[in-house]
Amino acid sequence: MRTLRAGIVDDEEPARARVRDLLQAFDDVDVVFEASEGRGAVEHIRREHPALLFLDIQMPELDGFGVLEALSADERPRGIIFVTAYDAYAIRAFDVNAIDYLLKPYSAERFGSALNRARERLADPASAPYDIEGLLRAVAARNAGAERLAVKTQEGVRFIGASEIDWLQADGNYTVIHSGTATLRTREALTAFEERLSPHGFIRVHRSVVINADRIFRLEPWTHGEYVIVLRNGTKLNSSRAYAEQIRRLIEGG
């Protein structure tokens, strides 16, 4: 049986451990390196020449797309399985470009099906290559057009990019915008922000909460279709049954 040389790239050790543990069930895959950041991943890929790569999208400094941009076409692994906490635009791009992806949190069955598709692709030398260049162009265009919000506060007008926002919370007639450790309070309805930000991967999970889904790290089942949503910065928020469909789409990658 031919052994597939694989690399795992993710800035979070538990996420790398999840991939590593699941791969133990497959005798034909050999993990030849792990990397916790993008620049180190580029060097590992150039040195180890993996056929298969599990690549996280959201990483500080150099993200998954940046890793691919840093590599030449000949250096890029033929088998790529992207791993993402959620990026609706990127997932559509994956579908168009026939690239496999895993949406965190994913099941062992979902992992196995993604691996099987990559394995089939690698076993067929005549298979059409991934349109990585097309994906990178699409992502660059999306990032260039990311919304920049003008937020009116008591101190004046503050400009903030959609990608800087972690989550938004309704507070009576106001909306509180959470960005890292900073907060902005503005007299504008949460619904108005939801409409403007939904094309950029924001979802409503509660009557008073809209989340940047790229910031979601883990979903913890609670009761009756509700979840505790853990963000990458450790913030915990509760979803409500009224928005169970959004959570379902998040889990299934729809």
Side-chain angles (χ1 to χ4, degrees):
M1 179 182 295
R2 180 186 176 187
T3 300
L4 297 179
R5 294 169 56 83
I8 303 172
V9 182
D10 199 301
D11 63 316
E12 295 170 340
E13 199 285 329
R16 296 195 304 276
R18 171 71 170 160
V19 174
R20 184 171 63 247
D21 291 346
L22 288 172
L23 284 176
Q24 291 181 359
F26 301 91
D27 295 334
D28 63 332
V29 182
D30 181 22
V31 177
V32 294
F33 80 85
E34 294 184 25
S36 60
E37 46 84 25
R39 299 192 188 284
V42 171
E43 297 305 314
H44 278 295
I45 292 168
R46 286 173 173 162
R47 182 171 60 250
E48 300 293 345
H49 307 291
L52 179 61
L53 185 67
F54 294 87
L55 181 61
D56 186 22
I57 294 177
Q58 295 93 1
M59 294 186 293
E61 296 187 15
L62 191 67
D63 64 12
F65 297 128
V67 169
L68 295 179
E69 288 176 340
L71 297 166
S72 68
D74 291 338
E75 292 173 328
R76 292 171 188 154
R78 285 191 63 234
I80 299 174
I81 297 178
F82 279 100
V83 184
T84 175
Y86 185 73
D87 188 320
Y89 180 91
I91 288 174
R92 289 195 295 271
F94 299 159
D95 290 338
V96 170
N97 294 285
I99 295 176
D100 296 312
Y101 68 91
L102 288 170
L103 179 65
K104 299 176 181 177
Y106 50 84
S107 66
E109 290 75 17
R110 178 67 181 87
F111 181 90
S113 65
L115 179 59
N116 285 335
R117 283 197 297 274
R119 186 190 284 119
E120 290 170 2
R121 171 65 66 94
L122 292 169
D124 182 7
S127 62
Y130 294 135
D131 185 11
I132 295 292
E133 298 296 342
L135 173 61
L136 295 178
R137 286 193 299 269
V139 170
R142 177 255 192 159
N143 289 340
E147 176 123 8
R148 189 166 178 257
L149 305 179
V151 180
K152 296 179 181 179
T153 69
Q154 290 183 337
E155 294 75 26
V157 179
R158 164 76 182 275
F159 292 92
I160 184 170
S163 62
E164 300 176 58
I165 299 172
D166 298 319
W167 64 289
L168 305 93
Q169 176 185 24
D171 182 15
N173 295 326
Y174 290 81
T175 295
V176 180
I177 300 172
H178 298 263
S179 175
T181 58
T183 58
L184 295 174
R185 193 167 185 263
T186 180
R187 194 177 179 85
E188 186 172 352
L190 182 64
T191 300
F193 282 107
E194 180 186 13
E195 292 175 354
R196 294 165 64 183
L197 292 171
S198 60
H200 303 284
F202 285 71
I203 60 171
R204 188 185 284 256
V205 298
H206 189 279
R207 177 174 53 85
S208 60
V209 175
V210 170
I211 292 178
N212 181 348
D214 279 345
R215 298 294 197 273
I216 296 175
F217 173 63
R218 183 173 65 248
L219 297 176
E220 299 177 352
W222 190 239
T223 59
H224 306 294
E226 298 176 354
Y227 287 83
V228 174
I229 302 171
V230 183
L231 303 188
R232 296 170 74 86
N233 64 6
T235 299
K236 292 186 177 183
L237 303 165
N238 288 88
S239 70
S240 68
R241 279 181 289 174
Y243 296 92
E245 178 64 17
Q246 284 87 327
I247 299 297
R248 185 191 65 78
R249 290 180 181 177
L250 186 65
I251 294 172
E252 296 179 359

